[in-house]
Structures are given as structure tokens and as C-alpha cells.
């Protein structure tokens, strides 16, 4: 069984036991979170598509860690003008583990 869930404005395909990196959540490490914006569920009973969400469906997960992504180098330059700027960026993510998918 799997589901398509909207987490922090992005869509993820999840199944029980999956580990995902999602945009940074405000919950503490070890906390249990529930996502109610389930857009699609698929299982033994067939596929259920929401309009826009599936009624009574939810996904529970636990927060494993708060991490940063790989460094992205941003380099700007204007030729013949002596203008050079180098910046780095690391996007914050939260690692979660999917616990259970429930459809009522």
C-alpha cells in the first residue's frame, strides 16, 4: 500500500517504513507527526483519488533528525568589471520515517 502525501507544499510517494528527507519541520526530534493532506491512496481495495484530498485518510510518521543538504555554490561574475561574488547555501531538511497509513 502506498499514498501520495503533501508535506510542506511538496508531494511525496510514501509507504510504511520509508525514510524521507522533507523540507524542515518545526517538530522536535523523536516527535510523532500526522499528515492529513493525503491526495491519493492505493492498496488492496484499489486506488482512491481525492478531490483535492481523500476523506479520513492520514499518514503518521516520526521525526528522526534535522539535517542540512549538500552545499550549493552560487557564483556571480561580470566580465571586465572586477565583480565576483561567491556564496554557499545548504538547504535545511528533516528526516522522517513513515509509520502507518490509515484510510477510514
Amino acid at each position: 500500500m502506498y499514498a501520495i502525501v503533501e508535506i510542506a507544499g511538496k508531494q511525496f510517494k510514501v509507504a510504511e517504513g520509508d525514510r524521507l528527507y522533507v523540507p524542515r519541520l518545526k517538530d522536535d526530534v523523536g516527535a510523532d507527526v500526522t499528515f492529513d493532506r493525503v491526495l491519493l491512496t492505493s492498496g488492496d481495495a484499489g486506488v482512491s483519488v481525492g478531490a483535492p484530498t481523500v476523506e479520513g485518510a492520514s499518514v503518521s510518521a516520526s521525526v528522526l533528525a534535522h539535517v542540512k543538504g549538500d552545499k550549493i555554490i552560487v557564483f556571480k561574475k561580470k566580465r571586465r568589471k572586477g565583480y565576483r561574488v561567491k556564496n554557499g547555501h545548504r538547504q535545511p531538511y528533516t528526516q522522517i520515517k513513515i509509520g502507518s497509513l490509515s484510510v477510514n
Side-chain angles (χ1 to χ4, degrees), residues 73-90:
I73 302 299
V74 179
F75 186 74
K76 298 179 182 179
K77 179 181 178 183
K78 296 192 180 187
R79 64 184 189 161
R80 299 187 302 269
K81 303 299 179 194
Y83 174 76
R84 295 171 31 160
V85 175
K86 181 179 178 182
N87 286 320
H89 176 75
R90 293 183 73 186

Side-chain angles (χ1 to χ4, degrees), residues 9 16 18-19 28 38-39 42 45 48 57 63 72 75 90-91:
E16 290 185 15
D18 284 354
R19 292 174 185 245
D28 295 329
V38 179
L39 306 175
S42 176
S48 175
V63 176
I72 305 295
F75 186 74
R90 293 183 73 186
Q91 187 71 25

Side-chain angles (χ1 to χ4, degrees), residues 82-104:
Y83 174 76
R84 295 171 31 160
V85 175
K86 181 179 178 182
N87 286 320
H89 176 75
R90 293 183 73 186
Q91 187 71 25
Y93 291 106
T94 299
Q95 184 182 20
I96 62 171
K97 182 176 182 181
I98 303 299
S100 64
L101 309 172
S102 64
V103 180
N104 294 335

Side-chain angles (χ1 to χ4, degrees), residues 5 7-8 10-14 17-25 35 61-70 90-98:
V5 182
I7 302 172
K10 297 188 178 188
Q11 296 178 9
F12 296 92
K13 180 180 177 181
V14 299
D18 284 354
R19 292 174 185 245
L20 298 172
Y21 289 98
V22 298
R24 182 67 148 256
L25 301 175
F35 303 110
S62 60
V63 176
L64 299 178
H66 294 296
V67 295
K68 289 184 180 180
D70 295 336
R90 293 183 73 186
Q91 187 71 25
Y93 291 106
T94 299
Q95 184 182 20
I96 62 171
K97 182 176 182 181
I98 303 299

Side-chain angles (χ1 to χ4, degrees), residues 1-7 10-15 35-42 47-50 52-54 57-59 101:
M1 178 176 187
Y2 71 90
I4 306 292
V5 182
E6 184 179 323
I7 302 172
K10 297 188 178 188
Q11 296 178 9
F12 296 92
K13 180 180 177 181
V14 299
F35 303 110
D36 295 330
R37 295 210 32 98
V38 179
L39 306 175
L40 180 139
T41 59
S42 176
V47 177
S48 175
V49 179
T53 60
V54 178
S58 64
V59 174
L101 309 172

